[in-house]
Amino acid sequence: MSERKYDPHEIEPRWQAVWADEHTWEVSNEGALATGARGASGPESEQTSSYVLEMLPYPSGEPHIGHLKVYSVGDAIAHYHRRLGRRVLHPMGYDSFGLPAENHAIKTGVHPRASTDASIASFQRQFREWGISIDWSRELATHEPSYYRWTQWIFLQLFDAGLAYRKEAAVKWCPKDQTVLANEQVSPDGTCERCGATVEVRQLEQWFLRITDYAERLLNDLNEIEWPEHVKTMQRNWIGRSEGAEVTFRCEELGIDYPVFTTRPDTLFGATFFVMAPEHPDVLRLVAGTEREREVREYVSHAITESGEERGNAEKPKTGVALGRTVTNPVNGEQIPVYVADYVLMEYGTGAIMAVPGHDERDHAFARAFELPIRRVIEGTPPEGSGDEQGLPYTGDGSLVNSNAEFDGMDNREALSAIVSWLDREGKGHASVNYRLRDWLISRQRYWGTPIPIVYCEDCGAVPVPEDQLPVRLPDVEDYAPKGRSPLAAAEEWVRTGCPECGGEARRETDTMDTFVDSSWYFLRYCDAANAEAAWDPAVLGEWMPVDQYIGGVEHAILHLMYARFFCKALADLGHLDFQEPFRALFTQGMITKDGAKMSKSRGNVVSPSSIVERYGADTARCYILFIGPPDQDADWSDEGMEGVHRFLSRLWRLAAEVAERGREEPHAAPPAGSHATLPRVEHVPPGGVAHAPPRTTSAFQEHAAPSTAEDAPTGASASRARTGSAADDDLTLLRKAHWAIDKVSGDLRRFAFNTAIAAVMELLNECSRLRESVSVDSQRFALATAASLLFGFAPHVSAEAYELLMGERVWEQPWPRAEEEMLERDTYELVCQVNGRLRDRVQAASDASPDELKALCHAAPNVRAHLDGKEIVKEIVVPGKLVNLVVR
RNA sequence: GCGGCGGUGGCGGAACGGUAGACGCGGAGGCCUCAAAAGCCUCUGUCCGCAAGGGCGUGUGGGUUCGACUCCCACCCGCCGCACCA
């Protein structure tokens, strides 16, 4: 046993230096271009290139444990793909614009660029210390003009296509961050997702991206991608598609048509009133100059200042005010009263609804509160415990009643389409689809972001900055503090500019873009990061995109992942891309918690990657984080668990060092005492072949293949062949274990089961350790080299070290090991003997035994006999390779 | 309310419808050592039993099956998303 100790602090920097000096993980685009378009749908084995991407970090302070996890997962995948023979693009960058750096600047006066750059330097250093296999030649940061120049270019493409537009709207405003927010950035409780302040509504003119144009495609194309079901579900919910009809209700007095969206046109005959949202622009117009005006004004101003939380509470009693107007129900000509009520939302549908109190719970509650008529138009009884004396509201299916001669008696589902057809013919409505998704508000009244490349001219209006004048650089300012307008507005010299169209005086847009715009296309830029002429060369993109495996946190399930999909579709429509979906497969990793709680500074339970790496080395940290449990689930950090992984890596290194030493002392020519003379030495095969071929089948293998019988096989569960077996048996046992591990790890990697993959390597190492006295150096070397090879993607440094000690070669240059079929097959196995489905005995059976032979073995098993005593056998189930089950009575 | 994901030893977790608890942690005992650390070995779901062996065990209750952690039905609990969405 070597006296030396596993020292990650000596090993890790040495290998990091090799990878850095040799630019090991860089890939060029030329190869990709030369091979032509890669078979996007081709089988895994034929794929020649692969794009493995983890979500880029927001550089703030130091990397945290979540970063360690996501890049450990991504690196394992990247290495696996490489060793399957693919050229792997595995880049890194920084989402470096954003509020935290700016808030820090407000507090300290340090320019956000300075703190951001410092943080980026820390991330870079740690990524190298973790040994992540990154192609550093493609590194980018979204705050660099060389990057945001193209963010601005994309904005202009969208602007030219009418997909970026400016409009005044009721928008979400965070009073603390002093900026508007996207709908997606407001938490369900009506607070700012970032700072927690209660979000207000303000009427402001803002920039939007027309993501709603893509609602249908964003929904449908979810079927084309390999994403976790829960993420797809979240996106589907967020898009919120509803099928129904748009129906026009006319206000005869004023001659105005009001379309409403309904999913239940079959209940149109039950519409007994009409309700508008407080924000509806016509509410005040309808009451202007009437005695109702004052009351309505008061109600409206109260309603729009209510917080989303107050207003959104479904339990809240219904409130509202009658407008003193009526509209005509198009199906029966009835005049029905119009109300304003806060339960109707301006942002969904048309901001006005037809109210059917007989068949809608909310309308029913309102009708009761305001004593409005409630009419049943569909027969049926609501579930127990709901509904009034008449069984209303009833929201289920049934036959139409109280409608008209044409539709009464008709099944409501049929009636639905029949009524829509009728409306269509009469010009009073049509089938319609409505979405919950809103357009994406991208302007922010903040400093640290990509400037929006627009100037305002008195004569020409909003004019795009010409492409050759990009980037519009972010100017330096004195004061970053938000004052309800962008800090950029204070940079007067920067703001004042000439109009690109008429040359006259103009002023620059002073808002910046939401940082989600920056991160909606970074994966494209990686493909062609050095391109100074264009955002990308479509030919280069064609080689790498779409991303084969994207990895990140679920927290981006809606925001980033929806925006990036939208960008791809829009840019594809504009002819800049030839694919629709950016991320073919997605993996979402779970959170690492401490003592069951999210790590946070305020809780004081933060485990910092740098402290773990300092103490145990990067390999232990990475390996533990993958071993802790299924990577898509949350997992709780345990220092003891990490100690266990550290012991495992120590043992691997120690055994490798020991075997390397033993190998030097005992050259292959003189194997010890005949025990394994029949086993040839490990072969070295050039790249493209099998990495380290296992010893070929020899007499040792055949000797072992002698079939056992029930009589001579051990019957006790704990009987161990290895203990009593000869040295050659042990060699074979170990080699088989190695091949088993190759097979197991290969399968586990395909399904992201890193925890069980590492467990399999642990098993192999346990076997090496257990048999180390009785097997040949060659067998030991093969088994340990296999362990190192399989472990390389999880613990690269120690694996590279061990492999080099054993084989004198670089493990990452070896192809992924292949398990040999014959080494996976067993000539005997443990046959499970059951009586009535209960385990009663285990016996050795020959692999090629016939069902009848297996039955006989089972009958002969001592403990089976005891349970058969005096019973009648009714059925015998034989599962070759597994078990025999005797059913008795 | 709608949708999604979960519930297995003291703990993290393994188990194509076929030996429940791999692997690791923790625990107990032992070896090595003057001693300790490190390392190594054995045991470790639970109850009965000296043992052989047996009973009970994967949230609850049913069902399908020779056989169910796994499939089906009805519940309970937890987490996540959406929700006065017409």
Side-chain angles (χ1 to χ4, degrees):
Chain A
M1 174 75 59
S2 170
E3 297 304 312
R4 288 184 294 163
K5 195 167 179 289
Y6 167 52
D7 180 8
H9 302 298
E10 188 276 322
I11 294 169
E12 295 183 353
R14 196 150 38 75
W15 290 102
Q16 285 155 19
V18 170
W19 299 327
D21 293 346
E22 300 185 7
H23 304 271
T24 312
W25 314 120
E26 290 181 16
V27 284
S28 66
N29 287 332
E30 291 135 53
L33 283 171
T35 56
R38 122 191 110 137
S41 55
E44 198 179 302
S45 56
E46 289 170 23
Q47 204 179 311
T48 58
S49 67
S50 177
Y51 190 171
V52 177
L53 183 66
E54 300 93 76
M55 290 179 185
L56 87 176
Y58 176 77
S60 173
E62 299 224 331
H64 54 71
I65 206 86
H67 291 117
L68 182 62
K69 181 164 180 177
V70 71
Y71 299 113
S72 296
V73 169
D75 211 36
I77 296 301
H79 278 309
Y80 179 57
H81 285 203
R82 281 190 195 103
R83 294 186 62 204
L84 290 175
R86 300 173 197 161
R87 307 174 71 253
V88 173
L89 176 57
H90 189 224
M92 181 59 74
Y94 310 94
D95 188 15
S96 41
F97 271 136
L99 271 184
E102 187 170 343
N103 288 339
H104 181 259
I106 293 162
K107 221 186 294 174
T108 63
V110 176
H111 195 290
R113 191 175 295 121
S115 55
T116 300
D117 287 346
S119 179
I120 287 175
S122 165
F123 275 66
Q124 286 167 328
R125 197 189 69 246
Q126 296 206 39
F127 291 155
R128 288 185 196 270
E129 285 174 4
W130 299 349
I132 310 289
S133 62
I134 294 163
D135 179 349
W136 289 106
S137 71
R138 297 165 185 267
E139 191 183 21
L140 57 82
T142 60
H143 75 298
E144 289 164 354
S146 59
Y147 181 87
Y148 70 67
R149 168 185 184 176
W150 303 113
T151 307
Q152 293 171 338
W153 175 81
I154 292 170
F155 176 88
L156 293 177
Q157 298 300 307
L158 298 175
F159 178 80
D160 288 344
L163 291 171
Y165 65 95
R166 198 170 149 81
K167 79 161 186 203
E168 190 183 301
V171 298
K172 305 293 197 300
W173 171 267
C174 173
K176 191 167 168 205
D177 289 335
Q178 296 270 306
T179 183
V180 294
L181 300 171
N183 285 357
E184 288 83 350
Q185 289 164 331
V186 181
S187 300
D189 63 355
T191 59
C192 172
E193 180 193 58
R194 185 165 288 285
C195 72
T198 297
V199 170
E200 299 167 2
V201 173
R202 289 199 179 181
Q203 200 71 21
L204 290 170
E205 199 172 340
Q206 297 291 329
W207 284 97
F208 291 85
L209 298 185
R210 215 176 285 281
I211 191 171
T212 50
D213 276 11
Y214 289 81
E216 189 74 22
R217 284 161 63 186
L218 287 167
L219 185 68
N220 291 338
D221 290 354
L222 285 172
N223 299 326
E224 312 296 316
I225 49 185
E226 291 169 44
W227 284 23
E229 204 47 48
H230 68 282
V231 176
K232 291 189 184 185
T233 304
M234 279 190 233
Q235 293 216 346
R236 287 188 189 110
N237 282 346
W238 189 261
I239 294 167
R241 183 182 195 273
S242 302
E243 265 181 52
E246 198 165 286
V247 186
T248 303
F249 286 70
R250 186 174 179 79
C251 176
E252 308 288 354
E253 293 164 283
L254 299 175
I256 307 171
D257 281 340
Y258 288 109
V260 300
F261 175 76
T262 176
T263 54
R264 294 296 303 277
D266 52 322
T267 64
L268 250 174
F269 290 92
T272 54
F273 57 100
F274 189 92
V275 190
M276 293 172 118
E279 295 85 353
H280 196 290
D282 277 10
V283 166
L284 295 177
R285 182 174 162 197
L286 285 168
V287 292
T290 72
E291 76 274 15
R292 296 276 175 174
E293 183 169 0
R294 199 181 143 153
E295 194 188 349
V296 169
R297 272 188 188 282
E298 276 167 17
Y299 182 79
V300 167
S301 57
H302 174 74
I304 61 177
T305 54
E306 260 182 325
S307 77
E309 197 175 3
E310 287 171 314
R311 185 166 162 188
N313 182 6
E315 309 299 311
K316 195 184 82 161
K318 294 282 177 282
T319 60
V321 179
L323 299 186
R325 299 282 184 185
T326 62
V327 291
T328 310
N329 183 340
V331 289
N332 56 16
E334 281 178 7
Q335 292 299 304
I336 57 175
V338 180
Y339 284 78
V340 57
D342 64 2
Y343 81 93
V344 174
L345 309 175
M346 190 60 215
E347 57 268 25
Y348 188 78
T350 61
I353 60 151
M354 65 176 211
V356 184
H359 303 282
D360 180 279
E361 284 166 20
R362 299 151 300 176
D363 297 343
H364 188 264
F366 190 88
R368 288 230 135 180
F370 288 79
E371 296 178 340
L372 290 159
I374 299 168
R375 184 187 304 152
R376 172 188 288 280
V377 290
I378 291 175
E379 272 178 340
T381 312
E384 201 94 8
S386 64
D388 61 11
E389 318 77 59
Q390 284 105 56
L392 293 177
Y394 172 66
T395 55
D397 292 327
S399 309
L400 262 63
V401 292
N402 301 325
S403 295
N404 69 13
E406 190 180 347
F407 302 113
D408 275 342
M410 199 183 273
D411 172 82
N412 72 303
R413 303 256 172 183
E414 290 167 42
L416 195 149
S417 41
I419 290 175
V420 172
S421 303
W422 181 87
L423 287 167
D424 216 352
R425 283 197 303 276
E426 298 291 317
K428 291 172 174 172
H430 53 86
S432 172
V433 174
N434 202 44
Y435 299 93
R436 206 189 77 98
L437 185 70
R438 302 289 89 202
D439 273 346
W440 176 15
L441 197 174
I442 58 150
S443 39
R444 297 289 181 275
Q445 291 71 52
R446 297 298 301 244
Y447 171 73
W448 192 232
T450 302
I452 295 173
I454 292 287
V455 299
Y456 298 100
C457 167
E458 289 251 337
D459 298 326
C460 312
V463 180
V465 173
E467 240 179 76
D468 59 14
Q469 290 176 26
L470 298 182
V472 174
R473 285 177 184 267
L474 188 61
D476 284 333
V477 297
E478 297 290 311
D479 184 3
Y480 308 106
K483 299 173 185 68
R485 60 171 199 170
S486 170
L488 289 184
E492 186 58 28
E493 275 182 37
W494 177 83
V495 171
R496 272 173 40 199
T497 186
C499 171
E501 260 168 40
C502 68
E505 273 189 27
R507 298 181 67 78
R508 290 192 187 277
E509 168 66 64
T510 58
D511 284 357
T512 54
M513 292 187 218
D514 181 3
T515 56
F516 278 105
V517 178
D518 305 331
S519 58
S520 291
W521 73 281
Y522 75 102
F523 43 89
L524 303 175
R525 184 64 181 172
Y526 280 143
C527 299
D528 202 8
N531 196 330
E533 310 302 315
W536 56 75
D537 173 350
V540 170
L541 232 57
E543 306 313 326
W544 296 113
M545 289 297 296
V547 171
D548 292 276
Q549 185 63 60
Y550 199 33
I551 303 150
V554 238
E555 64 273 21
H556 295 110
I558 295 172
L559 294 152
H560 164 62
L561 289 170
M562 184 87 80
Y563 296 149
R565 296 181 62 221
F566 159 58
F567 261 45
C568 276
K569 291 178 191 307
L571 289 165
D573 285 357
L574 299 175
H576 298 297
L577 303 176
D578 61 1
F579 52 90
Q580 292 285 324
E581 286 291 333
F583 315 120
R584 180 181 303 154
L586 173 71
F587 183 85
T588 53
Q589 98 271 11
M591 220 178 12
I592 302 278
T593 56
K594 184 72 201 297
D595 306 321
K598 193 172 173 171
M599 289 186 194
S600 70
K601 283 190 191 124
S602 55
R603 279 196 192 85
N605 62 347
V606 175
V607 178
S608 90
S610 59
S611 68
I612 309 160
V613 171
E614 198 181 315
R615 192 151 164 213
Y616 296 95
D619 285 334
T620 298
R622 290 178 56 170
C623 215
Y624 171 60
I625 225 162
L626 296 177
F627 181 65
I628 192 169
D632 56 331
Q633 284 172 31
D634 290 352
D636 203 58
W637 184 269
S638 131
D639 289 338
E640 293 79 18
M642 192 169 50
E643 297 269 4
V645 170
H646 191 68
R647 278 197 282 274
F648 159 63
L649 296 181
S650 287
R651 216 141 43 98
L652 171 68
W653 180 86
R654 237 180 312 113
L655 281 170
E658 181 188 315
V659 167
E661 209 168 300
R662 206 175 133 196
R664 278 193 298 276
E665 288 162 6
E666 305 165 12
H668 302 296
S675 60
H676 58 282
T678 51
L679 290 170
R681 53 170 302 187
V682 174
E683 292 169 28
H684 294 248
V685 177
V690 176
H692 36 268
R696 297 286 147 195
T697 313
T698 64
S699 59
F701 184 74
Q702 277 134 25
E703 182 191 327
H704 196 83
S708 316
T709 65
E711 278 72 34
D712 66 20
T715 52
S718 60
S720 165
R721 295 279 300 146
R723 275 275 157 231
T724 56
S726 69
D729 279 342
D730 288 347
D731 280 289
L732 193 60
T733 301
L734 183 56
L735 297 174
R736 281 197 161 133
K737 190 74 187 181
H739 284 274
W740 166 84
I742 292 170
D743 189 53
K744 171 79 176 145
V745 173
S746 304
D748 286 351
L749 279 174
R750 281 192 285 272
R751 55 188 187 100
F752 284 78
F754 308 113
N755 54 332
T756 53
I758 292 168
V761 181
M762 285 175 171
E763 282 193 58
L764 173 58
L765 195 70
N766 287 346
E767 200 79 331
C768 287
S769 182
R770 191 170 68 87
L771 300 175
R772 73 177 175 281
E773 303 293 333
S774 61
V775 299
S776 70
V777 178
D778 288 338
S779 298
Q780 274 283 60
R781 182 187 291 120
F782 173 75
L784 287 167
T786 299
S789 181
L790 296 176
L791 206 62
F792 177 68
F794 314 136
H797 313 87
V798 68
S799 301
E801 180 78 10
Y803 199 88
E804 195 188 55
L805 284 170
L806 294 160
M807 309 298 289
E809 291 181 330
R810 295 170 155 188
V811 63
W812 65 88
E813 291 172 0
Q814 313 304 317
W816 186 248
R818 204 190 329 236
E820 301 232 327
E821 270 309 310
E822 62 187 12
M823 295 299 277
L824 295 176
E825 286 162 10
R826 303 293 311 262
D827 13 80
T828 66
Y829 63 94
E830 201 167 65
L831 180 74
V832 167
C833 302
Q834 297 180 332
V835 177
N836 284 348
R838 308 191 66 113
L839 172 73
R840 293 305 178 191
D841 215 335
R842 303 174 171 93
V843 298
Q844 287 296 312
S847 297
D848 54 2
S850 70
D852 282 342
E853 288 171 310
L854 293 176
K855 275 186 214 168
L857 283 173
C858 183
H859 278 276
N863 201 43
V864 168
R865 289 176 123 146
H867 283 89
L868 289 181
D869 193 33
K871 304 249 172 60
E872 184 198 349
I873 295 179
V874 260
K875 200 166 180 181
E876 294 175 317
I877 310 285
V878 181
V879 184
K882 285 274 184 207
L883 55 80
V884 173
N885 184 18
L886 304 177
V887 186
V888 302
R889 212 167 22 211

